[in-house]
Amino acid sequence: QSALTQPASVSGSPGQSITISCTGTSSDIGGYNYVSWFQQHPGKAPKLMIYDVTYRPSGVSDRFSGSKSGNTASLTISGLQADDEADYYCTSYTGTPIPSYVFGTGTKVSVL
Amino acid sequence: QVQVVESGGGVVQPGRSLRLSCAASGITFSTHAMHWVRQAPGQGLEWVAFISSDASDKFYAASVKGRFTVSRDNPKNTVSLQLNDLRPGDTAVYFCGGAAGTVEAPFDIWGQGTLVTVSS
C-alpha cells in the first residue's frame, strides 16, 4: 500500500487560509469516508484534528475543516495562527487487501 | 484524565527481539480498539498494527507481518507489541493509539511514544 501524497510544505501569513491536499486511490480515500487529519508538533504525539472527512473532535478549533472529492481529501486552516506551525498528516482507512490504514507523506506548515 | 504511556523501547541488535507495552488510563479500555503507529527519525507516520477491543481481530502492515505480534490484557488496561527479527529499518518511535470502536474508528488517544533503535 503506497503512502498518500501530500505537498511537502505549505506556508501562509497570520490570518490567511491555507489548504493541504491528500491524494490517494479508489481503494482508500475514494472508497471510504474514513479520512483523518493529524497535527504533530516537533517531538510530540500526533493530535487528531479531523475525522471521518469533515468532523472535528471536541476541543479542536473550528478554524480547521476537512473535505473530500474523489480520491483527494483536503484540510483547510483558516485564520492561520503561529501555533498552527507543525507537521500535518492525513490518513485513510482501507479494506484492501486487509483492513489497515495508510498515512500521507506529511506536510510542513509554516506561518510566515 | 485520559493517559496513554508506552514503554519498552531501547537499543537492540539486528535479529533480536523487543516487547513494547502501552498502558491506558482514564478510558473504558475494553471498548477501545488499539493501534500501533511508528515514525522513523525525521520521517512520516506508518501504521503498524491493530487489535480490536476484544482481541478477536488483529491486522498488520505488510512490512511487519510475521515478525510483530500485537496482544492485549483488558483487565490490566494494557496492549503489547512483540517485535521479533528486528531490522535497522524498524528503527522508529512507536506510538500507541486508541480508537473508541471498531477498526474504522479514528485514533483519538495517543501516547508520547517509545524509541526503538536497531543497530549493531
Side-chain angles (χ1 to χ4, degrees):
Chain A
Q1 190 76 24
S2 299
L4 307 174
T5 301
Q6 298 180 233
S9 63
V10 174
S11 61
S13 299
Q16 286 187 331
S17 293
I18 62 169
T19 296
I20 303 169
S21 62
C22 171
T23 301
T25 69
S26 58
S27 295
D28 38 67
I29 292 177
Y32 306 91
N33 287 322
Y34 297 126
V35 176
S36 295
W37 289 90
F38 295 93
Q39 176 193 66
Q40 188 182 35
H41 287 107
K44 301 295 186 180
K47 176 185 176 183
L48 181 67
M49 306 302 285
I50 295 288
Y51 68 96
D52 294 354
V53 180
T54 63
Y55 294 90
R56 277 187 309 276
S58 175
V60 172
S61 170
D62 60 4
R63 297 185 299 105
F64 292 83
S65 62
S67 63
K68 188 185 88 167
S69 178
N71 297 338
T72 298
S74 299
L75 173 72
T76 297
I77 309 174
S78 59
L80 203 59
Q81 299 179 358
D83 191 51
D84 297 334
E85 186 162 294
D87 293 324
Y88 291 81
Y89 295 92
C90 59
T91 186
S92 175
Y93 169 82
T94 172
T96 307
I98 60 165
S100 60
Y101 280 84
V102 58
F103 277 91
T105 50
T107 298
K108 170 66 177 178
V109 169
S110 298
V111 181
L112 304 174
Chain B
Q1 180 183 353
V2 177
Q3 190 172 21
V4 174
V5 179
E6 301 93 337
S7 60
V11 180
V12 62
Q13 293 179 330
R16 304 299 290 267
S17 299
L18 207 58
R19 188 176 183 85
L20 307 182
S21 292
C22 166
S25 58
I27 61 171
T28 305
F29 186 73
S30 61
T31 63
H32 278 69
M34 301 298 291
H35 298 259
W36 287 94
V37 173
R38 69 183 181 183
Q39 186 170 35
Q43 302 301 309
L45 300 170
E46 179 189 12
W47 177 81
V48 173
F50 162 86
I51 184 167
S52 60
S53 58
D54 63 357
S56 61
D57 288 321
K58 302 175 185 180
F59 305 117
Y60 301 92
S63 57
V64 308
K65 189 174 177 63
R67 300 189 298 123
F68 291 8
T69 302
V70 63
S71 60
R72 66 188 295 157
D73 185 335
N74 282 350
K76 294 184 177 179
N77 285 11
T78 60
V79 60
S80 299
L81 186 67
Q82 178 69 35
L83 289 63
N84 295 334
D85 188 23
L86 281 162
R87 305 165 181 171
D90 295 320
T91 294
V93 173
Y94 284 73
F95 295 99
C96 173
T102 60
V103 64
E104 302 93 345
F107 331 151
D108 58 350
I109 303 167
W110 291 77
Q112 290 301 309
T114 186
L115 176 61
V116 173
T117 302
V118 183
S119 174
S120 54

